[in-house]
Amino acid sequence: PAGFVQLVGAGPGAADLLTLRALRALGEADVIVHDRLVPDAVLEMARRDARRIFVGKRRSEHCVPQEGINTLLVELAREGKRVVRLKGGDPFVFGRGGEEAAALREAGIAHEVVPGVTAALGCAAQAGIPLTHRDAARMLTLVTGHTREGVLDLDFRALARPGQTLCVYMGMSTLGALHQGMIWEGYDDATPGMLIERGGTPDQRELRGTLAELVEHGEDWAGDGPVLLILGEAVGMAPLPLVPQSAAKAVVGTPDPV
Amino acid sequence: PAGFVQLVGAGPGAADLLTLRALRALGEADVIVHDRLVPDAVLEMARRDARRIFVGKRRSEHCVPQEGINTLLVELAREGKRVVRLKGGDPFVFGRGGEEAAALREAGIAHEVVPGVTAALGCAAQAGIPLTHRDAARMLTLVTGHTREGVLDLDFRALARPGQTLCVYMGMSTLGALHQGMIWEGYDDATPGMLIERGGTPDQRELRGTLAELVEHGEDWAGDGPVLLILGEAVGMAPLPLVPQSAAKAVVGTPDPV
């Protein structure tokens, strides 16, 4: 039979934030090609006898280069396999799904993309941050904190403009560089923000404070999970954690009462 | 029993793009409060005997004002009901979920937010548009084309900056104003774009062209479904429709071969 590849968004990490379409794809696939951001709880929803291939990327060590993943997907499809390429969040939001789709198209392999709940939405829902708000945030901007040849290559002039909620994926290791770029463009580093680790999963941890406070305390607070930064007036609309603060919800500095 | 409200994202419109968590919420709710963007296929996944309350908003006529929806949710919860407030896409992305969550919090009603696949992601997956791409789009920006007191009140200076993919929700009726605002800030209206109607559903229709071409031909093309506009170099990476073009996938002008 002809092979078929589905690029599937696994959502932010909780197994029940998979879509029904993604669940069905997992149940039908012969092979699951996945990376580090996909938790075991999601992988367990695949067919028991499906082959699992880990092609995870860590921050600095690329286990399998992107070229290799593209080739793997094409080869598996040519063997007639039904393949799910499972990616954390959504395949077309910082997932390099576009490169995989292009490779499949060039090779003439039938494929489709199954969208997923991207991390920013999963984090915000759980933390109670309205990403858009008629009064405070009429624009929602997503960027990645990954560097490009060692440089955090972002358009800080655009990101520093008011009236937006900014979500920085994988933003922990470059938080200092982001802060510098933003204040250079006139951004107020007293803007409320939140660092969210393992967002959208049962293990979500939150650190809330101004951008300046998060830069000061974030490194000590962070564990080894992926971290998303949300910045903007909308963060100030999230409910404050109860006192005493839990390990999961912490505030640095003194938040303004809303 | 104490009432409980879930603000649930229904996803872009296809029933199988619901999350498992949203499906469970629908199966457990006594009352479903929904608006126009939630299709029947999704509503049918609720308990048969659940009460359905339509509080839809149309572009210019607000059937039930937001204040009234907030009060309704609080009252139903105080009657001890388990309530699902079902919203197209994600509750915190142009869904006014923040206002509903604030009203519930002020009233002391237990509630949670269930994220969903927002329209931009559903549309892009189906149209094959990689919303981010290492080379062409390092930033993804979401705005709404709704007017505020009759004016399209957007930060065109930020939106016109290069290197981003721009998604405009409900952007059809204000497409002309968007075009004017963007070119005033120096945006190239030969930038590739796509209008997507009923995106993320089996009835998705697409019109592809430059921004200038979409402004010229969009009005004639559009039906009566909600329309999302995606703009940016990433749109040029989507596969071109086959020739002859179908009613679902059309191109105006002459797209550059990729």
Side-chain angles (χ1 to χ4, degrees):
Chain A
F4 181 53
V5 179
Q6 290 169 296
L7 307 179
V8 175
D16 64 348
L17 290 179
L18 268 184
T19 64
L20 303 177
R21 192 179 297 174
L23 180 68
R24 194 170 66 185
L26 283 174
E28 291 175 347
D30 303 309
V31 188
I32 315 285
V33 178
H34 66 97
D35 48 44
R36 187 178 65 106
L37 292 178
V38 177
D40 291 342
V42 172
L43 284 174
E44 279 161 18
M45 301 179 95
R47 244 175 53 197
R48 273 191 64 170
D49 61 337
R51 188 175 155 207
R52 275 109 169 133
I53 303 179
F54 175 73
V55 290
K57 295 179 204 161
R58 291 188 174 76
R59 205 147 29 194
S60 43
E61 17 155 352
H62 284 221
C63 296
V64 179
Q66 186 62 46
E67 274 294 313
I69 298 173
N70 298 352
T71 306
L72 176 67
L73 297 177
V74 169
E75 282 173 0
L76 289 167
R78 287 199 172 135
E79 289 168 18
K81 296 286 192 293
R82 205 179 161 97
V83 183
V84 162
R85 169 68 174 116
L86 192 62
K87 301 162 102 59
D90 179 90
F92 276 168
V93 178
F94 307 121
R96 301 184 67 171
E99 295 168 58
E100 294 171 8
L104 292 165
R105 196 160 69 232
E106 277 156 32
I109 306 286
H111 61 283
E112 69 168 16
V113 180
V114 178
V117 174
T118 190
L121 277 51
C123 288
Q126 204 159 319
I129 300 171
L131 291 170
T132 67
H133 195 283
R134 281 186 305 159
D135 302 322
R138 313 245 308 143
M139 182 157 76
L140 170 61
T141 309
L142 313 182
V143 296
T144 172
H146 271 142
T147 55
R148 199 181 165 90
E149 288 156 16
V151 177
L152 184 64
D153 178 24
L154 293 175
D155 182 353
F156 295 112
R157 183 156 298 174
L159 301 182
R161 292 188 66 88
Q164 66 182 307
T165 304
L166 175 61
C167 299
V168 185
Y169 285 61
M170 309 303 281
M172 196 60 233
S173 67
T174 51
L175 182 56
L178 179 90
H179 177 243
Q180 287 204 319
M182 295 291 275
I183 57 175
W184 180 261
E185 294 293 350
Y187 196 74
D188 183 355
D189 71 0
T191 303
M194 199 184 281
L195 290 169
I196 302 172
E197 190 181 54
R198 301 183 195 281
T201 78
D203 303 319
Q204 176 162 326
R205 293 175 64 229
E206 302 163 9
L207 182 69
R208 180 169 170 163
T210 65
L211 173 57
E213 288 161 349
L214 296 178
V215 170
E216 189 181 343
H217 299 281
E219 207 59 62
D220 289 338
W221 165 85
D224 58 357
V227 171
L228 182 100
L229 166 66
I230 306 185
L231 267 184
E233 295 306 325
V235 179
M237 296 178 175
L240 286 170
L242 300 174
V243 178
Q245 297 176 21
S246 70
K249 285 179 185 278
V251 174
V252 283
T254 311
D256 293 332
V258 180
Chain B
F4 180 53
V5 179
Q6 290 170 296
L7 307 179
V8 175
D16 65 348
L17 290 178
L18 269 183
T19 64
L20 303 177
R21 193 180 295 176
L23 180 68
R24 194 170 65 186
L26 283 174
E28 291 175 348
D30 302 309
V31 187
I32 315 285
V33 178
H34 67 97
D35 49 44
R36 188 178 64 107
L37 292 178
V38 177
D40 291 342
V42 172
L43 284 174
E44 279 161 17
M45 301 179 93
R47 243 173 55 195
R48 275 191 62 170
D49 61 338
R51 189 174 152 205
R52 275 109 168 132
I53 303 179
F54 176 72
V55 291
K57 295 181 206 158
R58 290 187 173 77
R59 203 149 28 194
S60 43
E61 18 154 350
H62 284 221
C63 297
V64 180
Q66 187 62 48
E67 273 294 313
I69 297 173
N70 298 353
T71 306
L72 175 67
L73 297 177
V74 169
E75 281 173 1
L76 289 167
R78 287 200 172 134
E79 290 168 17
K81 297 287 192 295
R82 205 177 161 97
V83 183
V84 162
R85 169 69 174 115
L86 193 62
K87 301 163 101 61
D90 179 89
F92 277 167
V93 178
F94 307 121
R96 299 184 69 172
E99 295 169 56
E100 293 171 8
L104 293 165
R105 195 159 71 232
E106 277 156 32
I109 307 287
H111 61 282
E112 70 168 15
V113 180
V114 178
V117 174
T118 189
L121 276 51
C123 289
Q126 206 160 317
I129 301 171
L131 292 170
T132 67
H133 195 282
R134 282 186 305 160
D135 301 321
R138 313 246 306 144
M139 182 157 76
L140 170 61
T141 308
L142 314 181
V143 296
T144 171
H146 271 142
T147 55
R148 199 179 165 91
E149 288 156 16
V151 177
L152 184 65
D153 177 25
L154 293 176
D155 182 353
F156 295 111
R157 183 157 297 174
L159 301 181
R161 293 186 67 87
Q164 66 182 306
T165 304
L166 175 61
C167 299
V168 185
Y169 286 61
M170 308 302 281
M172 197 58 234
S173 67
T174 51
L175 182 57
L178 179 90
H179 177 242
Q180 287 204 319
M182 295 291 275
I183 57 175
W184 180 261
E185 293 293 348
Y187 196 74
D188 182 356
D189 71 359
T191 304
M194 199 184 281
L195 291 168
I196 301 173
E197 189 181 53
R198 302 185 194 279
T201 78
D203 303 319
Q204 175 162 326
R205 292 175 65 228
E206 302 162 10
L207 182 68
R208 180 168 170 163
T210 65
L211 172 56
E213 289 161 349
L214 295 178
V215 170
E216 188 182 343
H217 299 280
E219 206 62 60
D220 289 338
W221 165 86
D224 58 358
V227 172
L228 183 100
L229 166 67
I230 306 185
L231 267 184
E233 296 306 326
V235 178
M237 297 177 174
L240 285 170
L242 300 174
V243 178
Q245 297 176 20
S246 70
K249 287 180 185 275
V251 175
V252 284
T254 311
D256 292 332
V258 179

